[in-house]
Amino acid sequence: DTAVSQTPKYLVTQMGNDKSIKCEQNLGHDTMYWYKQDSKKFLKIMFSYNNKELIINETVPNRFSPKSPDKAHLNLHINSLELGDSAVYFCASSRDDRPTYEQYFGPGTRLTVT
Amino acid sequence: GENVGLHLPTLSVQEGDNSIINCAYSNSASDYFIWYKQESGKGPQFIIDIRSNMDKRQGQRVTVLLNKTVKHLSLQIAATQPGDSAVYFCAERTQAGTALIFGKGTTLSVSS
């Protein structure tokens, strides 16, 4: 009955590789997000996506691309991985039909680029 | 620009004490604020939220106070327990359907 799930939990790879992180939510939410948490625990939005619009944080390199096969999934693809991509990546989701809502976060994927 | 920050990176308290974690925000257009707790190795977990038309909201052992005049948000935890040890983040949202903007986090350490 996990609300937001991510796979894998840990990902170790070499520079230059291409990798994907999967995210699924079973909450029926409209919007999904990807956040990056750096070594200092700072959480920063990368993308937000619903069936109408993809909003990209302008600071995110175009090596990162979200792909949504359906409303319940938002996967993160990363091309040509760099050392600086090492971080914990969190997927989240929320409803849009209420004036207040919380975002539900997944357990995170720790990416280590060597 | 938007900036949500916390006054102290760390806070150490004794079990049973009340804890107060502070947060300052800079965007007066933000309409919604939220506190998250993040335990080691886990994703952020919702604690409590508050809309901009309120100045106080209470939950179980937690209270959030919002002072829009000085753009200040605080989280009060009553009778702090060792299980409350975690990193606490405040976050703001400027409009519905947009991502949260997080502050830098305060690490709360509770000693018994």
Side-chain angles (χ1 to χ4, degrees):
Chain A
D1 58 347
T2 304
V4 182
S5 60
Q6 296 178 228
T7 54
K9 186 166 177 63
Y10 300 97
L11 181 55
V12 181
T13 188
Q14 292 183 327
M15 287 173 54
N17 286 347
D18 303 336
K19 290 293 179 184
S20 296
I21 305 172
K22 295 184 177 180
C23 177
E24 176 181 2
Q25 55 96 4
N26 61 6
L27 299 166
H29 284 171
D30 307 296
T31 303
M32 297 183 72
Y33 310 83
W34 277 105
Y35 289 85
K36 178 180 180 180
Q37 188 171 47
D38 62 23
S39 58
K40 296 182 179 180
K41 298 286 189 181
F42 187 56
L43 270 164
K44 191 171 183 180
I45 183 66
M46 300 177 70
F47 305 99
S48 63
Y49 181 81
N50 61 25
N51 59 0
K52 302 170 190 172
E53 189 176 14
L54 170 66
I55 300 174
I56 302 171
N57 185 318
E58 60 186 15
T59 66
V60 175
N62 57 15
R63 299 181 294 104
F64 291 78
S65 58
K67 298 268 190 329
S68 180
D70 55 58
K71 187 178 173 181
H73 296 83
L74 184 66
N75 303 324
L76 182 64
H77 297 270
I78 316 169
N79 294 326
S80 302
L81 277 155
E82 300 178 358
L83 291 176
D85 298 331
S86 296
V88 182
Y89 293 84
F90 288 99
C91 177
S93 69
S94 66
R95 292 175 61 177
D96 285 349
D97 59 348
R98 291 161 52 190
T100 61
Y101 58 83
E102 63 186 273
Q103 291 186 10
Y104 291 78
F105 282 78
T109 296
R110 181 175 293 277
L111 171 64
T112 303
V113 183
T114 61
Chain B
E2 295 143 349
N3 180 34
V4 179
L6 291 172
H7 293 300
L8 292 174
T10 61
L11 177 64
S12 297
V13 301
Q14 292 285 323
E15 182 178 2
D17 287 351
N18 295 331
S19 303
I20 300 176
I21 301 173
N22 295 306
C23 175
Y25 66 95
S26 60
N27 192 332
S28 57
S30 292
D31 66 347
Y32 175 73
F33 303 87
I34 190 167
W35 282 97
Y36 280 92
K37 172 187 180 183
Q38 186 178 20
E39 296 175 275
S40 180
K42 297 183 179 179
Q45 181 181 10
F46 171 84
I47 301 173
I48 193 167
D49 58 2
I50 188 168
R51 294 188 63 189
S52 58
N53 61 355
M54 302 171 67
D55 54 19
K56 181 179 180 179
R57 191 160 187 231
Q58 288 184 294
Q60 187 177 15
R61 284 202 305 119
V62 294
T63 301
V64 57
L65 298 177
L66 176 62
N67 185 330
K68 293 181 289 294
T69 302
V70 296
K71 295 184 198 148
H72 184 268
L73 192 68
S74 68
L75 176 71
Q76 300 178 359
I77 305 173
T80 313
Q81 303 168 359
D84 295 326
S85 295
V87 180
Y88 289 81
F89 295 93
C90 67
E92 64 179 324
R93 185 196 74 185
T94 54
Q95 60 182 348
T98 62
L100 296 171
I101 300 166
F102 281 81
K104 292 184 180 179
T106 290
T107 300
L108 176 65
S109 299
V110 183
S111 53
S112 52

